[in-house]
């Protein structure tokens, strides 16, 4: 089924394929999101085991995919779940509300460090703007770039960005700026087959850890799919999800 994860005001969100896991090859798992027109697919196995795939391969974690999985699991009326993904066990909650399911989970330990000059130069050159940068690791490292002038006009060179993130071993680049009452962000991850992600919950959790603050972040507007992710400094992240079909 398709779940729109991390909706904003009941609309938009990131369409995510959710499948009961079975005897699929990894090649079949990579093909499924392509066939269904989604960027990601999450496969739910016994005991809350989750596997995440894009067309490029398997990911150790996917935040909006976890939100989507929780929305499906909540159909049985449960509210608290024990999940397994990326070699760890963690908790998730799902509460049915008007318009869908509010789903939140523990993203796990996050490490943040300043970017080196070489990391900064390689990524911001591809991004086409400058800004302060840190490297945040949650499963895989990614760069957080603060763009003071806003993220709406960004037009990255995706070939250059993919080369830079591949060389540096980064998942991608999460560009963000502060808005009037919340943050605005865009996540670029061509190395995993997703030039731009509609909603990226794990990177938003990284931003909350970096800022040591509870935050709401708007994403997806550049793709015509408004999304909002909420994250706390204490380590919970998620949003509203709706099962579409």
């Amino acid at each position: 089924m398709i779940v729109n994860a991390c909706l904003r005001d009941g609309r938009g969100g990131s369409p995510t394929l959710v499948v009961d896991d079975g005897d699929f090859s990894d090649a079949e798992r990579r093909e499924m999101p392509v066939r269904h027109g989604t960027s990601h697919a999450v496969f739910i196995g016994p005991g809350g085991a989750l596997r995440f795939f894009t067309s490029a391969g398997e990911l150790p974690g996917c935040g909006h995919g976890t939100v989507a999985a929780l929305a499906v699991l909540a159909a049985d009326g449960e509210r608290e779940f024990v999940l397994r993904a990326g070699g760890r066990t963690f908790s998730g909650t799902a509460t049915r509300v008007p318009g869908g399911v509010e789903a939140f989970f523990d993203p796990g330990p996050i490490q943040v460090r300043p970017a080196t000059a070489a990391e900064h130069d390689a990524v911001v050159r591809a991004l086409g703007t400058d800004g302060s940068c840190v490297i945040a690791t949650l499963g895989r490292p990614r760069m957080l770039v603060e763009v003071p002038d806003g993220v709406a006009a960004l037009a990255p060179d995706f070939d250059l960005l993919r080369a830079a993130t591949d060389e540096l071993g980064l998942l991608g680049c999460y560009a963000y700026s502060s808005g009037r009452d919340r943050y605005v962000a865009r996540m670029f991850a061509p190395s995993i087959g997703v030039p731009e992600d509609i909603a990226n919950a794990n990177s938003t959790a990284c931003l909350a850890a970096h800022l040591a603050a509870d935050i709401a972040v708007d994403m997806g507007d550049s793709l015509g799919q408004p999304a909002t992710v909420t994250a706390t400094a204490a380590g919970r992240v998620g949003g509203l999800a709706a099962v579409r079909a």
Side-chain angles (χ1 to χ4, degrees), residues 34-57:
V34 178
R35 187 194 325 155
H36 290 272
T38 67
S39 60
H40 296 69
V42 53
F43 296 83
I44 303 178
L50 305 179
R51 295 182 70 184
F52 308 99
F53 281 80
T54 69
S55 61

Side-chain angles (χ1 to χ4, degrees), residues 28-113:
E28 289 173 320
R29 291 185 175 93
R30 292 195 301 270
E31 190 272 337
M32 284 188 192
V34 178
R35 187 194 325 155
H36 290 272
T38 67
S39 60
H40 296 69
V42 53
F43 296 83
I44 303 178
L50 305 179
R51 295 182 70 184
F52 308 99
F53 281 80
T54 69
S55 61
E58 186 168 9
L59 304 173
C62 173
H64 73 266
T66 303
V67 169
L70 284 166
V72 171
L73 291 169
D76 292 334
E78 294 184 62
R79 296 185 59 183
E80 297 185 1
F81 301 89
V82 176
L83 305 173
R84 294 183 291 117
R88 72 183 189 97
T89 300
F90 57 100
S91 64
T93 61
T95 305
R96 301 192 70 82
V97 298
V101 175
E102 285 186 344
F104 290 86
F105 66 95
D106 167 19
I110 298 168
Q111 298 177 325
V112 182
R113 64 167 175 83

Side-chain angles (χ1 to χ4, degrees), residues 59-190:
L59 304 173
C62 173
H64 73 266
T66 303
V67 169
L70 284 166
V72 171
L73 291 169
D76 292 334
E78 294 184 62
R79 296 185 59 183
E80 297 185 1
F81 301 89
V82 176
L83 305 173
R84 294 183 291 117
R88 72 183 189 97
T89 300
F90 57 100
S91 64
T93 61
T95 305
R96 301 192 70 82
V97 298
V101 175
E102 285 186 344
F104 290 86
F105 66 95
D106 167 19
I110 298 168
Q111 298 177 325
V112 182
R113 64 167 175 83
T116 66
E119 290 168 334
H120 169 278
D121 292 348
V123 174
V124 300
R125 184 185 309 117
L127 194 60
T129 189
D130 201 355
S132 62
C133 303
V134 298
I135 304 296
T137 300
L138 173 55
R140 291 176 63 180
R142 77 282 324 270
M143 183 175 286
L144 312 182
V145 181
E146 183 176 14
V147 182
D149 295 334
V151 300
L154 292 177
D157 181 324
F158 287 110
D159 290 338
L160 193 59
L161 183 60
R162 177 168 188 165
T165 52
D166 282 352
E167 181 178 354
L168 296 169
L170 300 177
L171 173 72
C173 173
Y174 181 88
Y176 71 94
S177 60
S178 57
R180 184 167 51 186
D181 59 354
R182 62 180 65 190
Y183 287 85
V184 180
R186 296 173 68 184
M187 176 65 177
F188 305 107

